[in-house]
Amino acid sequence: MPVLTAEGFELFGREGAFRVIAAACAQGGQVVVSGEPGMGKSSLLRVGGQLAQRAGRRVLAIAPTEFDQGLPFAGLAELVAQCPPDGPDRLPAPQRRALAIALQQVEPEGGTIDPLAVPLAIRSLLTNLAGTEPVTVVLDDVQWLDPATAGALAFALRRLALPGDRLSVLAGTRPAGLRTDLVRTLPEPRRDVDLPALDEHAIAQLLRRRFGSTWTQSVSSAVARASGGNPFLALMIAQAMRSDVSQWSWSARDGHDPVFPVPPSLTDVLGEKVALLPAAAREVLLLVSAAGRLNVHQLDKFAGPDHVVAALEAAADADLARVGPEQRVAFTHPLLASAIYEAATPAERRRAHRRLADSLDDQVERAVHRARTVTAPDLAVAGELERAADVSARRGALQVAGELLEASARATPAAGAPTGPFPRWLRVVDTYTLAGDTDAARAALGVLDPLASSPQERAEAILRRIDLTRRMPGARALAEQALALAPPGTEVRNALTTLLGALHRLEGNGPEALRLTRAAVAEARAGNRDAALLRALYGRLTVERHWASGDAGRTLGEIDRLAAAATDLPGPFLAWSHAFFAPWDDPTAEEPVRREIRAALEAGRYGDLTQLYIALVLHLTRASRIQAARAALEEADRAGAWSLSAFQEQIARGLVAAYTGELDLARAVVGPAAEEARAIESTYWLCSFLTIRGFVETSAGDWPAALQVYREVAAVFERTGMVDLEQILWGVDYADAALQTGAFDEVERAVAVLRRQGAAGLPEAVVAADRCEALRRAATGDVDTALHDLRRITALDGAESPFEATRSRLALGQVYRRAGHKRGSADTLTAAADSFASLGYPRWADRARAELARSGLHQSGEALTENERRVAELAAAGRSNQEVAAALFMSVKTVEAHLTRVYRKLSVRSRTELARRLEP
């Protein structure tokens, strides 16, 4: 097989970049090529596509022009057209429909499609395709990719769970494009390649390859200097020199080879090249550049066949544009489309856009061009643009919808319209915010604020500004300002009251949060606003849980009754609110959440998944079903559940990683998240991440680090009066770290935290507090009392979650060892290690084994399993087989089988011997 070289592809002076691209095409991975216009990005990426095809990879190439930015999902259409025809048919129904709507294959019906549906469809499409053959996606001129496609691709690519060699991405952009989300979030492994100017030798090679060997070194060097090493500009200069140079602004020097006397800019040269075209040809090509994508048939309708034929012939002769596949007219270089557009006068551009707006088939495309024709307010045009924005939003192209709404608002007369421009500017802000374009939303707010004439309008404007405010104190100050303006009884006042209560809760001000959430409930009830009442009740429930104030049970009952009576409330809310706050042993919490997850996936309500999955992961973690929690997290990743809240995703990932023993991963997740929470001054989120970090250090045995973390959490709880935090028993780990470092006075502080949780209705916190007290007694010399208390705790059935119950057994084994009961210590610690391992907590199993090693005696014979141990203990306590079966939710036959194995393993023949054998 011949050796492939950069020069073989006319990539002179680009050997290093060529090797990077070739490696990605062979092995996978991402490459981002950046450089100024004309430096050869497109040429390099085109070669990359050829190399990928030679390597047996399917190539999906998107090459947008500057004018594709206004067309919703223009890049997506190009990508899907290169996929197998049955690719969309293999997608889940909601994603398949969303993709068809986005590509204008079917009309949107009903409300807006979920913003996540199209990004998930792209991810599924690429995943399915890469599962059958390796894929290379080539993205040229990323800075010109339409926002809808760019956002969807960024989401899809950073969440693809594929081996590195199955998909590679080759992206080209100008330096400013390196800051776009799509480029920044490309997954590793990734190589960045910057294309510098070419030296004179490389320019000379390029010119000789393109135009023959007649080019002398002196002329080539002069062209290289004139072009500044820009290869595209060098080719344009060379073309001019080969043509009738007298037509150009620059003329040849008398008696010398024709070289431009001054270094021209690329813009100037392209402008000169365009100016040489006949006026009629420029007029036709202006339509092509303004539209972004046109075929010959469409051009015929706009300009007439005779004009089109003549224009395309002139464009081909000048090497400006050609007719490609499907009769589509394409410029030979994207910069030439911009040059055509820039060469036109403003009036000529408006005329071109007006012809397109009057003739194109799609309502949104017509509106995009209509927006560029507006020079004065026009109520009819404003209405047309707003209707098109609604269509664009229903297709999932929210950025384009925002731009159309902005054009509609600007076209709305200040007087004479039924409502004036304020409501439209309000929609502009909301749409940009929903699209994630905070810069555009802030800019629109700058226009909206002066338009707010009434107190209610000013409150509405401030409410939007809160959504864009990062720090909690700043957001709260704005909410207080807006609440003072909002008239009583209005929806905006109710929304602000609920929001202000939530902000106080997040900052740790419980009493004020409770007052405001109670007021929000009363306001919503008085206004008969069920959806608002549901949100307000949830806010009150959360405060009641965290501060143990009010009556959380009554509030949850009100939510249940409201959900049962109303038919138009959010479906997932009830299942989520129950599971999120459910105790570890609630058997009714899991299935409703899973049922709502299935319903959301079937209906394409992907925005509901974040709340549902965080509730599921939390409940499974509390129930010590950590492997099920890990599976739920992986399922959430596949479903694209974590798009709405980075903090909730980090909580779920941090919890699962910490409990399954992936401590470095847990630190990497919750460390930056805690600093972000600290930066925005959110007490709630900070404590959430710190408690996970403290558990990580406890699991690692880094007691000073754990103690430092928990001292900060304890100080926050004391300052704010907070009682509970999603039922996390962080006081246990605080006491553990304090005991290990000899800080016995802080054990009492930790126990007090657990006592408050227990008094607030968390029974296992009471047991955990007793365990910590027993360990403190043992550490200070009162071993007999500690043993008595720990035996009592471990004999309790179902009082603690399996993980915490095993920690109690670990504590008993530790105290047995301290008391010198080697056999009891070995048996108890062995059982604890086995239980931790079977539950899926490897770090804690290791800790129990380390304690066992210190005891100096290992359990003889085969170790009892967790179920065998529980059966043995109940039988030794005098329970009948039927009573044991009822207590452990087993059949009598299962109990008998367990006892048979227990008797064999422990070499006993009766329950009396069993009782003596189990005693230390």
Side-chain angles (χ1 to χ4, degrees):
M1 186 174 181
V3 177
L4 302 177
T5 64
E7 290 188 3
F9 288 95
E10 297 188 10
L11 296 176
F12 301 105
R14 301 298 188 205
E15 291 78 9
F18 177 82
R19 285 193 296 270
V20 172
I21 288 284
C25 292
Q27 304 162 13
Q30 283 55 253
V31 179
V32 178
V33 182
S34 61
E36 296 297 335
M39 282 297 178
K41 300 182 296 296
S42 298
S43 298
L44 187 60
L45 293 178
R46 186 164 52 250
V47 170
Q50 296 171 14
L51 293 175
Q53 287 178 329
R54 292 190 184 197
R57 306 178 73 91
R58 177 181 285 270
V59 175
L60 308 176
I62 304 177
T65 69
E66 181 179 1
F67 305 95
D68 286 341
Q69 290 179 303
L71 304 180
F73 294 117
L76 176 60
E78 195 171 359
L79 182 141
V80 173
Q82 299 168 74
C83 292
D86 64 344
D89 297 337
R90 299 166 58 195
L91 302 179
Q95 297 176 25
R96 185 168 63 249
R97 175 164 176 75
L99 189 62
I101 291 172
L103 299 180
Q104 305 173 34
Q105 295 167 348
V106 298
E107 285 299 317
E109 297 175 359
T112 302
I113 64 173
D114 192 294
L116 288 177
V118 173
L120 286 170
I122 297 178
R123 190 186 69 169
S124 299
L125 200 65
L126 292 175
T127 299
N128 294 341
L129 188 55
T132 59
E133 58 183 327
V135 175
T136 294
V137 178
V138 180
L139 305 172
D140 196 4
D141 286 314
V142 169
Q143 75 278 355
W144 287 341
L145 195 60
D146 66 274
T149 298
L153 268 175
F155 176 95
L157 291 173
R158 69 174 171 263
R159 288 173 171 82
L160 279 175
L162 290 169
D165 62 339
R166 300 303 295 178
L167 184 135
S168 61
V169 178
L170 311 180
T173 182
R174 295 179 184 178
L178 293 171
R179 297 189 294 271
T180 63
D181 285 343
L182 175 55
V183 173
R184 285 190 302 105
T185 58
L186 285 175
E188 296 292 341
R190 164 182 162 170
R191 291 285 303 275
D192 289 354
V193 176
D194 176 56
L195 297 185
L198 295 180
D199 59 25
E200 292 185 6
H201 176 67
I203 292 289
Q205 287 180 293
L206 174 63
L207 296 180
R208 283 196 295 270
R209 178 66 63 88
R210 288 291 181 92
F211 303 117
S213 57
T214 57
W215 289 83
T216 65
Q217 183 60 47
S218 60
V219 175
S220 296
S221 297
V223 171
R225 288 192 299 273
S227 66
N230 185 305
F232 184 62
L233 177 54
L235 289 173
M236 292 298 99
I237 293 174
Q239 285 183 357
M241 294 169 64
R242 285 165 54 87
S243 65
D244 186 355
V245 181
S246 62
Q247 299 182 49
W248 292 65
S249 298
W250 303 279
S251 59
R253 295 177 180 174
D254 293 338
H256 296 278
D257 289 324
V259 177
F260 288 114
V262 294
S265 71
L266 183 55
T267 301
D268 290 336
V269 171
L270 293 179
E272 288 284 342
K273 187 176 180 70
V274 167
L276 296 178
L277 283 175
R282 290 201 304 272
E283 184 178 0
V284 171
L285 291 178
L286 177 59
L287 290 170
V288 178
S289 67
R293 297 166 185 270
L294 284 181
N295 57 40
V296 174
H297 175 69
Q298 290 172 309
L299 274 177
D300 287 344
K301 289 196 303 182
F302 300 149
D306 293 340
H307 287 88
V308 170
V309 169
L312 293 180
E313 286 179 351
D317 291 343
D319 197 26
L320 278 170
R322 293 187 178 89
V323 178
E326 299 179 353
Q327 294 291 294
R328 179 177 149 190
V329 180
F331 289 93
T332 54
H333 194 283
L335 291 173
L336 292 168
S338 302
I340 288 285
Y341 195 80
E342 294 300 323
T345 66
E348 288 172 335
R349 295 175 199 165
R350 286 195 298 274
R351 186 161 56 248
H353 285 297
R354 191 172 294 113
R355 292 170 72 178
L356 293 168
D358 292 339
S359 306
L360 287 170
D361 296 328
D362 181 67
Q363 181 179 357
V364 174
E365 288 189 43
R366 290 200 306 270
V368 168
H369 293 289
R370 184 76 68 200
R372 299 187 180 188
T373 68
V374 177
T375 56
D378 186 317
L379 194 57
V381 170
E384 177 188 355
L385 295 174
E386 186 173 42
R387 290 188 294 274
D390 292 337
V391 174
S392 182
R394 290 200 297 273
R395 290 175 179 169
L398 291 173
Q399 184 73 28
V400 174
E403 293 167 1
L404 289 173
L405 283 170
E406 184 171 351
S408 171
R410 294 188 186 281
T412 302
T419 57
F422 181 84
R424 281 181 172 147
W425 278 108
L426 208 60
R427 287 195 65 194
V428 172
V429 176
D430 290 343
T431 305
Y432 278 139
T433 301
L434 189 59
D437 191 342
T438 55
D439 290 339
R442 287 192 181 94
L445 268 171
V447 180
L448 178 71
D449 286 339
L451 297 175
S453 56
S454 68
Q456 180 168 342
E457 287 181 345
R458 291 200 293 275
E460 293 273 14
I462 295 172
L463 179 59
R464 270 63 179 184
R465 193 169 292 282
I466 294 170
D467 290 337
L468 304 173
T469 302
R470 182 168 171 264
R471 293 177 59 255
M472 293 292 158
R476 173 174 45 78
L478 286 172
E480 290 167 349
Q481 177 187 348
L483 189 62
L485 292 168
T490 58
E491 288 188 26
V492 66
R493 183 177 183 84
N494 193 196
L496 284 163
T497 306
T498 302
L499 174 60
L500 189 54
L503 291 170
H504 274 289
R505 174 178 66 82
L506 292 170
E507 285 191 276
N509 188 351
E512 186 64 9
L514 184 61
R515 182 189 72 80
L516 286 161
T517 53
R518 285 172 172 170
V521 168
E523 290 174 0
R525 187 171 281 131
N528 294 316
R529 302 185 186 98
D530 287 345
L533 178 57
L534 193 62
R535 288 191 293 271
L537 284 170
Y538 165 70
R540 191 177 78 186
L541 174 66
T542 307
V543 177
E544 289 170 341
R545 291 280 191 177
H546 290 168
W547 274 270
S549 55
D551 188 340
R554 180 174 64 85
T555 301
L556 195 56
E558 289 184 56
I559 291 174
D560 289 344
R561 289 190 292 276
L562 178 62
T567 59
D568 58 346
L569 295 178
F573 192 91
L574 187 61
W576 167 74
S577 59
H578 273 275
F580 193 79
F581 296 110
W584 71 268
D585 56 349
D586 185 348
T588 67
E590 180 181 356
E591 179 51 34
V593 177
R594 291 196 180 276
R595 186 168 57 246
E596 286 297 339
I597 287 172
R598 291 192 295 269
L601 290 171
E602 290 170 3
R605 291 185 283 104
Y606 299 107
D608 292 341
L609 295 176
T610 298
Q611 295 284 58
L612 290 169
Y613 272 112
I614 187 62
L616 181 60
V617 170
L618 272 175
H619 177 68
L620 293 172
T621 303
R622 290 189 197 115
S624 305
R625 297 171 57 196
I626 195 60
Q627 295 307 320
R630 183 205 288 271
L633 178 62
E634 293 170 353
E635 180 186 312
D637 289 341
R638 290 192 298 272
W642 304 118
S643 63
L644 299 183
S645 172
F647 277 169
Q648 287 182 319
E649 176 182 2
Q650 290 156 331
I651 288 289
R653 291 196 190 286
L655 276 174
V656 170
Y659 278 90
T660 56
E662 298 176 89
L663 302 187
D664 288 339
L665 174 60
R667 290 187 186 100
V669 171
V670 301
E675 293 312 305
E676 173 70 10
R678 198 186 302 279
I680 67 173
E681 300 182 59
S682 171
T683 298
Y684 168 79
W685 287 114
L686 176 60
C687 286
S688 296
F689 291 119
L690 288 178
T691 53
I692 298 174
R693 180 60 187 265
F695 180 80
V696 168
E697 302 309 338
T698 302
S699 300
D702 189 345
W703 310 115
L707 189 60
Q708 180 181 357
V709 170
Y710 284 122
R711 280 172 175 162
E712 181 176 0
V713 178
V716 171
F717 268 61
E718 290 168 1
R719 173 174 56 81
T720 63
M722 195 183 299
V723 174
D724 188 40
L725 188 68
E726 321 310 1
Q727 304 179 43
I728 298 173
L729 299 180
W730 60 271
V732 174
D733 302 304
Y734 184 19
D736 199 353
L739 284 166
Q740 297 289 343
T741 55
F744 298 134
D745 56 328
E746 293 199 62
V747 179
E748 296 180 6
R749 190 182 187 192
V751 168
V753 170
L754 294 168
R755 297 286 184 210
R756 287 195 294 273
Q757 281 184 285
L762 197 63
E764 65 177 340
V766 177
V767 181
D770 290 346
R771 184 208 311 157
C772 294
E773 286 274 22
L775 286 169
R776 184 187 64 79
R777 288 193 182 98
T780 54
D782 190 357
V783 177
D784 291 341
T785 303
L787 279 176
H788 175 272
D789 290 345
L790 288 171
R791 287 190 191 119
R792 175 185 60 80
I793 289 170
T794 55
L796 296 173
D797 187 29
E800 296 182 282
S801 70
F803 174 71
E804 290 299 331
T806 307
R807 288 184 73 171
S808 292
R809 187 159 295 278
L810 171 64
L812 178 59
Q814 290 171 316
V815 176
Y816 271 147
R817 179 174 60 81
R818 182 181 292 271
H821 300 309
K822 289 188 175 182
R823 174 62 61 188
S825 176
D827 291 350
T828 306
L829 291 172
T830 299
D834 291 344
S835 179
F836 279 132
S838 65
L839 290 170
Y841 301 96
R843 296 279 182 165
W844 287 83
D846 290 344
R847 181 176 176 184
R849 294 187 191 105
E851 291 286 346
L852 178 61
R854 295 190 190 100
S855 71
L857 180 66
H858 292 274
Q859 184 188 44
S860 61
E862 296 177 64
L864 299 184
T865 67
E866 178 65 8
N867 284 337
E868 289 169 353
R869 179 190 60 77
R870 297 177 71 188
V871 168
E873 289 174 344
L874 291 175
R879 303 272 190 101
S880 68
N881 287 357
Q882 289 82 1
E883 289 172 335
V884 173
L888 299 181
F889 300 98
M890 297 177 179
S891 69
V892 174
K893 286 186 177 181
T894 301
V895 171
E896 291 171 350
H898 280 315
L899 279 175
T900 299
R901 290 191 293 273
V902 168
Y903 282 12
R904 175 178 56 79
K905 290 181 178 181
L906 299 183
S907 300
V908 298
R909 298 183 179 182
S910 68
R911 293 184 184 231
T912 302
E913 290 183 20
L914 176 63
R916 283 199 298 267
R917 180 70 176 80
L918 292 181
E919 286 181 357

